[in-house]
Amino acid sequence: MTRLDRAKEKLSKTELDALYISSEINQRYVTDFSFTDGSVLITREKSYVITDFRYLEAAKSHVVGDYEIVTPDRRKGDYLAELCRKNGVKTLGFEEKSLSYAGYRSLSEKLPGITLVGVGGFVEELRLYKEPEEVESIIAAQRIAERAFSELLPDIKRGMFESEAALELEYRMRKLGAEDKSFDTIAVSGSFSALPHGVPRNRPIEDGFFTFDFGAVVNGYHSDMTRTVVVGKADDEMKRLYNTVLEAQLAAEAVITEGYRNFEADKTARDIIEGAGYHGCFGHSLGHGVGLEIHEEPRLSQGSGDTVLKAGQIVTVEPGIYIEGKYGCRIEDMMLITEGGAEVLTDCPKELIELDI
Ligand code: ZN
Ligand code: ZN
């Protein structure tokens, strides 16, 4: 079953006659082909990849699914209207998260008499469950990231800038085959490690905790990991903090399984951190889905309600403790939920590393 088949099956269970996909990531997902400035129209009968001549040849050989690839010779909006008329579309679903207000207005003008209905996360819901080749790409990206990291560690020298360490990591990932970095690498040391999303500074790394949060992209799929090491020696207080994060991280990984509630996974880690006396120091949620985007559904948070983890989902498990003005620490792995279980995809040691530099 192609992704288009799955999208059509879902469409058949709605009141919609067709779905207009404007998000480039969702276009890529349903066609298996990456292009810009185009759109995808899925009707109950025929489906179309609307693109231009720059992509025509590549689209013909790469698009997966029973699509007609069309290159309009007039304005795309007029062409879309014609396709809708041809297919008897009365109710058209659109992606309100990716369509701009201007785009929506022009769509309404071009499609008089057609009811436009926002579909929320129609394609995102399909993307929740990774196919084997998607899992393979994410694992390949993860292997690159962890290898780059283990190769970087012995090369960290006193006087090196945080920004330099981040750049080195990104450079090594690219050299190992990543097509991109998953996001701007976080490499923050000393008191700056207290910022969960700190931007690496153009200044020498400081003694104390040194947190790296980073990932690689392979075939459009992202990886995500965090490791915190210590520059110099860790004192007892730092060891206690680190081991509390590690205990929380391992405990969450131990309970996460198919059918487990997302918020309870978060609670498992949170209770350990709170129980150790670090009240209010874990200020973000436990994790998030990863795929064609670095942050996608599902969320593992206190606000996840009754949602449970399902086979095929890939989630991060990333508790942290941040003490304002002092330091912080986070440890992050990715996990794949499987039929009746779950497995950790990250293969990188988690015991405390002290860099003797
Ligand atoms: Zn991360
Ligand atoms: Zn993450």
PDB file of all heavy atoms in Angstrom, residues 183 186 197 212-215 223-226 288 294-295 316 318 330 332, ligand 1:
ATOM      1  N   PHE A 183      19.137  20.353  13.272  1.00  0.00           N
ATOM      2  CA  PHE A 183      18.806  21.701  13.765  1.00  0.00           C
ATOM      3  C   PHE A 183      20.127  22.320  14.170  1.00  0.00           C
ATOM      4  O   PHE A 183      21.162  21.626  14.145  1.00  0.00           O
ATOM      5  CB  PHE A 183      17.828  21.642  14.963  1.00  0.00           C
ATOM      6  CG  PHE A 183      18.278  20.712  16.066  1.00  0.00           C
ATOM      7  CD1 PHE A 183      19.042  21.171  17.121  1.00  0.00           C
ATOM      8  CD2 PHE A 183      17.956  19.355  16.022  1.00  0.00           C
ATOM      9  CE1 PHE A 183      19.477  20.316  18.123  1.00  0.00           C
ATOM     10  CE2 PHE A 183      18.386  18.482  17.020  1.00  0.00           C
ATOM     11  CZ  PHE A 183      19.138  18.970  18.070  1.00  0.00           C
ATOM     12  N   ILE A 186      23.386  22.453  19.599  1.00  0.00           N
ATOM     13  CA  ILE A 186      23.537  23.101  20.902  1.00  0.00           C
ATOM     14  C   ILE A 186      24.823  22.538  21.526  1.00  0.00           C
ATOM     15  O   ILE A 186      24.996  21.327  21.610  1.00  0.00           O
ATOM     16  CB  ILE A 186      22.320  22.799  21.798  1.00  0.00           C
ATOM     17  CG1 ILE A 186      21.052  23.434  21.196  1.00  0.00           C
ATOM     18  CG2 ILE A 186      22.554  23.296  23.231  1.00  0.00           C
ATOM     19  CD1 ILE A 186      19.759  22.982  21.858  1.00  0.00           C
ATOM     20  N   HIS A 197      18.066  25.430  25.626  1.00  0.00           N
ATOM     21  CA  HIS A 197      18.256  25.693  24.204  1.00  0.00           C
ATOM     22  C   HIS A 197      19.251  26.826  23.958  1.00  0.00           C
ATOM     23  O   HIS A 197      19.055  27.683  23.105  1.00  0.00           O
ATOM     24  CB  HIS A 197      16.913  25.974  23.506  1.00  0.00           C
ATOM     25  CG  HIS A 197      16.210  24.710  23.112  1.00  0.00           C
ATOM     26  ND1 HIS A 197      14.969  24.680  22.554  1.00  0.00           N
ATOM     27  CD2 HIS A 197      16.602  23.418  23.208  1.00  0.00           C
ATOM     28  CE1 HIS A 197      14.620  23.412  22.327  1.00  0.00           C
ATOM     29  NE2 HIS A 197      15.592  22.635  22.716  1.00  0.00           N
ATOM     30  N   PHE A 212      25.704  18.728  24.725  1.00  0.00           N
ATOM     31  CA  PHE A 212      25.582  18.696  23.260  1.00  0.00           C
ATOM     32  C   PHE A 212      24.215  18.136  22.900  1.00  0.00           C
ATOM     33  O   PHE A 212      23.890  17.020  23.289  1.00  0.00           O
ATOM     34  CB  PHE A 212      26.623  17.755  22.639  1.00  0.00           C
ATOM     35  CG  PHE A 212      28.046  18.213  22.778  1.00  0.00           C
ATOM     36  CD1 PHE A 212      28.777  17.919  23.919  1.00  0.00           C
ATOM     37  CD2 PHE A 212      28.658  18.920  21.755  1.00  0.00           C
ATOM     38  CE1 PHE A 212      30.091  18.331  24.041  1.00  0.00           C
ATOM     39  CE2 PHE A 212      29.982  19.340  21.867  1.00  0.00           C
ATOM     40  CZ  PHE A 212      30.693  19.049  23.019  1.00  0.00           C
ATOM     41  N   ASP A 213      23.432  18.892  22.149  1.00  0.00           N
ATOM     42  CA  ASP A 213      22.149  18.402  21.631  1.00  0.00           C
ATOM     43  C   ASP A 213      22.212  18.596  20.120  1.00  0.00           C
ATOM     44  O   ASP A 213      22.396  19.722  19.645  1.00  0.00           O
ATOM     45  CB  ASP A 213      21.000  19.209  22.260  1.00  0.00           C
ATOM     46  CG  ASP A 213      19.635  18.614  21.947  1.00  0.00           C
ATOM     47  OD1 ASP A 213      19.550  17.714  21.083  1.00  0.00           O
ATOM     48  OD2 ASP A 213      18.650  19.069  22.567  1.00  0.00           O
ATOM     49  N   PHE A 214      22.076  17.497  19.376  1.00  0.00           N
ATOM     50  CA  PHE A 214      22.362  17.570  17.941  1.00  0.00           C
ATOM     51  C   PHE A 214      21.764  16.382  17.200  1.00  0.00           C
ATOM     52  O   PHE A 214      21.296  15.421  17.808  1.00  0.00           O
ATOM     53  CB  PHE A 214      23.887  17.605  17.727  1.00  0.00           C
ATOM     54  CG  PHE A 214      24.581  16.385  18.281  1.00  0.00           C
ATOM     55  CD1 PHE A 214      24.999  15.358  17.458  1.00  0.00           C
ATOM     56  CD2 PHE A 214      24.787  16.271  19.653  1.00  0.00           C
ATOM     57  CE1 PHE A 214      25.614  14.218  17.978  1.00  0.00           C
ATOM     58  CE2 PHE A 214      25.399  15.135  20.185  1.00  0.00           C
ATOM     59  CZ  PHE A 214      25.805  14.117  19.355  1.00  0.00           C
ATOM     60  N   GLY A 215      21.832  16.457  15.882  1.00  0.00           N
ATOM     61  CA  GLY A 215      21.332  15.342  15.074  1.00  0.00           C
ATOM     62  C   GLY A 215      21.726  15.514  13.624  1.00  0.00           C
ATOM     63  O   GLY A 215      22.178  16.584  13.202  1.00  0.00           O
ATOM     64  N   SER A 223      17.613  12.774  13.140  1.00  0.00           N
ATOM     65  CA  SER A 223      17.913  12.096  14.405  1.00  0.00           C
ATOM     66  C   SER A 223      18.059  13.178  15.462  1.00  0.00           C
ATOM     67  O   SER A 223      18.207  14.357  15.135  1.00  0.00           O
ATOM     68  CB  SER A 223      19.200  11.271  14.301  1.00  0.00           C
ATOM     69  OG  SER A 223      20.336  12.112  14.226  1.00  0.00           O
ATOM     70  N   ASP A 224      17.997  12.761  16.724  1.00  0.00           N
ATOM     71  CA  ASP A 224      18.050  13.724  17.828  1.00  0.00           C
ATOM     72  C   ASP A 224      18.670  13.037  19.042  1.00  0.00           C
ATOM     73  O   ASP A 224      18.192  11.975  19.450  1.00  0.00           O
ATOM     74  CB  ASP A 224      16.605  14.181  18.146  1.00  0.00           C
ATOM     75  CG  ASP A 224      16.545  15.390  19.063  1.00  0.00           C
ATOM     76  OD1 ASP A 224      17.609  15.950  19.391  1.00  0.00           O
ATOM     77  OD2 ASP A 224      15.420  15.775  19.453  1.00  0.00           O
ATOM     78  N   MET A 225      19.740  13.604  19.571  1.00  0.00           N
ATOM     79  CA  MET A 225      20.346  13.043  20.784  1.00  0.00           C
ATOM     80  C   MET A 225      20.976  14.155  21.614  1.00  0.00           C
ATOM     81  O   MET A 225      21.350  15.206  21.089  1.00  0.00           O
ATOM     82  CB  MET A 225      21.410  11.992  20.444  1.00  0.00           C
ATOM     83  CG  MET A 225      22.713  12.544  19.897  1.00  0.00           C
ATOM     84  SD  MET A 225      23.949  11.252  19.521  1.00  0.00           S
ATOM     85  CE  MET A 225      24.536  10.812  21.150  1.00  0.00           C
ATOM     86  N   THR A 226      21.071  13.916  22.909  1.00  0.00           N
ATOM     87  CA  THR A 226      21.780  14.835  23.796  1.00  0.00           C
ATOM     88  C   THR A 226      22.689  14.025  24.711  1.00  0.00           C
ATOM     89  O   THR A 226      22.284  12.994  25.235  1.00  0.00           O
ATOM     90  CB  THR A 226      20.799  15.628  24.689  1.00  0.00           C
ATOM     91  OG1 THR A 226      19.836  16.279  23.869  1.00  0.00           O
ATOM     92  CG2 THR A 226      21.540  16.682  25.506  1.00  0.00           C
ATOM     93  N   HIS A 288       9.379  13.942  22.304  1.00  0.00           N
ATOM     94  CA  HIS A 288       8.579  14.296  21.128  1.00  0.00           C
ATOM     95  C   HIS A 288       8.853  13.291  20.029  1.00  0.00           C
ATOM     96  O   HIS A 288       9.877  12.585  20.062  1.00  0.00           O
ATOM     97  CB  HIS A 288       8.969  15.706  20.651  1.00  0.00           C
ATOM     98  CG  HIS A 288      10.447  15.871  20.403  1.00  0.00           C
ATOM     99  ND1 HIS A 288      11.040  15.564  19.206  1.00  0.00           N
ATOM    100  CD2 HIS A 288      11.455  16.277  21.218  1.00  0.00           C
ATOM    101  CE1 HIS A 288      12.349  15.793  19.282  1.00  0.00           C
ATOM    102  NE2 HIS A 288      12.634  16.215  20.509  1.00  0.00           N
ATOM    103  N   ILE A 294      12.011  17.636  12.916  1.00  0.00           N
ATOM    104  CA  ILE A 294      12.720  17.330  14.167  1.00  0.00           C
ATOM    105  C   ILE A 294      11.740  17.224  15.340  1.00  0.00           C
ATOM    106  O   ILE A 294      11.939  16.433  16.247  1.00  0.00           O
ATOM    107  CB  ILE A 294      13.865  18.340  14.442  1.00  0.00           C
ATOM    108  CG1 ILE A 294      14.627  17.971  15.721  1.00  0.00           C
ATOM    109  CG2 ILE A 294      13.384  19.781  14.509  1.00  0.00           C
ATOM    110  CD1 ILE A 294      15.317  16.627  15.690  1.00  0.00           C
ATOM    111  N   HIS A 295      10.697  18.009  15.320  1.00  0.00           N
ATOM    112  CA  HIS A 295       9.669  17.904  16.360  1.00  0.00           C
ATOM    113  C   HIS A 295       8.350  17.575  15.700  1.00  0.00           C
ATOM    114  O   HIS A 295       7.828  18.374  14.934  1.00  0.00           O
ATOM    115  CB  HIS A 295       9.523  19.229  17.133  1.00  0.00           C
ATOM    116  CG  HIS A 295      10.727  19.570  17.946  1.00  0.00           C
ATOM    117  ND1 HIS A 295      11.390  20.766  17.819  1.00  0.00           N
ATOM    118  CD2 HIS A 295      11.386  18.874  18.891  1.00  0.00           C
ATOM    119  CE1 HIS A 295      12.414  20.779  18.652  1.00  0.00           C
ATOM    120  NE2 HIS A 295      12.445  19.644  19.320  1.00  0.00           N
ATOM    121  N   THR A 316      11.554  10.727  21.404  1.00  0.00           N
ATOM    122  CA  THR A 316      12.760  10.992  22.185  1.00  0.00           C
ATOM    123  C   THR A 316      12.423  10.859  23.672  1.00  0.00           C
ATOM    124  O   THR A 316      11.270  11.014  24.070  1.00  0.00           O
ATOM    125  CB  THR A 316      13.321  12.401  21.938  1.00  0.00           C
ATOM    126  OG1 THR A 316      12.390  13.369  22.451  1.00  0.00           O
ATOM    127  CG2 THR A 316      13.546  12.670  20.456  1.00  0.00           C
ATOM    128  N   GLU A 318      14.068  12.574  26.923  1.00  0.00           N
ATOM    129  CA  GLU A 318      15.102  13.569  27.223  1.00  0.00           C
ATOM    130  C   GLU A 318      14.854  14.392  28.483  1.00  0.00           C
ATOM    131  O   GLU A 318      14.633  15.605  28.408  1.00  0.00           O
ATOM    132  CB  GLU A 318      15.300  14.504  26.022  1.00  0.00           C
ATOM    133  CG  GLU A 318      14.026  15.106  25.436  1.00  0.00           C
ATOM    134  CD  GLU A 318      14.321  16.029  24.244  1.00  0.00           C
ATOM    135  OE1 GLU A 318      15.165  16.939  24.396  1.00  0.00           O
ATOM    136  OE2 GLU A 318      13.722  15.824  23.178  1.00  0.00           O
ATOM    137  N   ARG A 330      21.295  17.340  30.476  1.00  0.00           N
ATOM    138  CA  ARG A 330      20.193  16.617  29.821  1.00  0.00           C
ATOM    139  C   ARG A 330      20.779  15.384  29.130  1.00  0.00           C
ATOM    140  O   ARG A 330      21.922  15.429  28.656  1.00  0.00           O
ATOM    141  CB  ARG A 330      19.506  17.534  28.783  1.00  0.00           C
ATOM    142  CG  ARG A 330      18.389  16.862  27.986  1.00  0.00           C
ATOM    143  CD  ARG A 330      17.552  17.851  27.154  1.00  0.00           C
ATOM    144  NE  ARG A 330      18.264  18.522  26.095  1.00  0.00           N
ATOM    145  CZ  ARG A 330      18.719  19.758  26.145  1.00  0.00           C
ATOM    146  NH1 ARG A 330      18.518  20.497  27.217  1.00  0.00           N
ATOM    147  NH2 ARG A 330      19.377  20.282  25.123  1.00  0.00           N
ATOM    148  N   GLU A 332      19.498  12.478  26.210  1.00  0.00           N
ATOM    149  CA  GLU A 332      18.406  12.198  25.266  1.00  0.00           C
ATOM    150  C   GLU A 332      18.740  11.042  24.329  1.00  0.00           C
ATOM    151  O   GLU A 332      19.782  11.034  23.680  1.00  0.00           O
ATOM    152  CB  GLU A 332      18.132  13.466  24.420  1.00  0.00           C
ATOM    153  CG  GLU A 332      17.130  13.254  23.297  1.00  0.00           C
ATOM    154  CD  GLU A 332      16.897  14.510  22.447  1.00  0.00           C
ATOM    155  OE1 GLU A 332      17.814  15.354  22.348  1.00  0.00           O
ATOM    156  OE2 GLU A 332      15.792  14.620  21.880  1.00  0.00           O
TER     157      GLU A 332
HETATM  158 ZN    ZN B   1      17.632  17.041  21.102  1.00  0.00          ZN
END
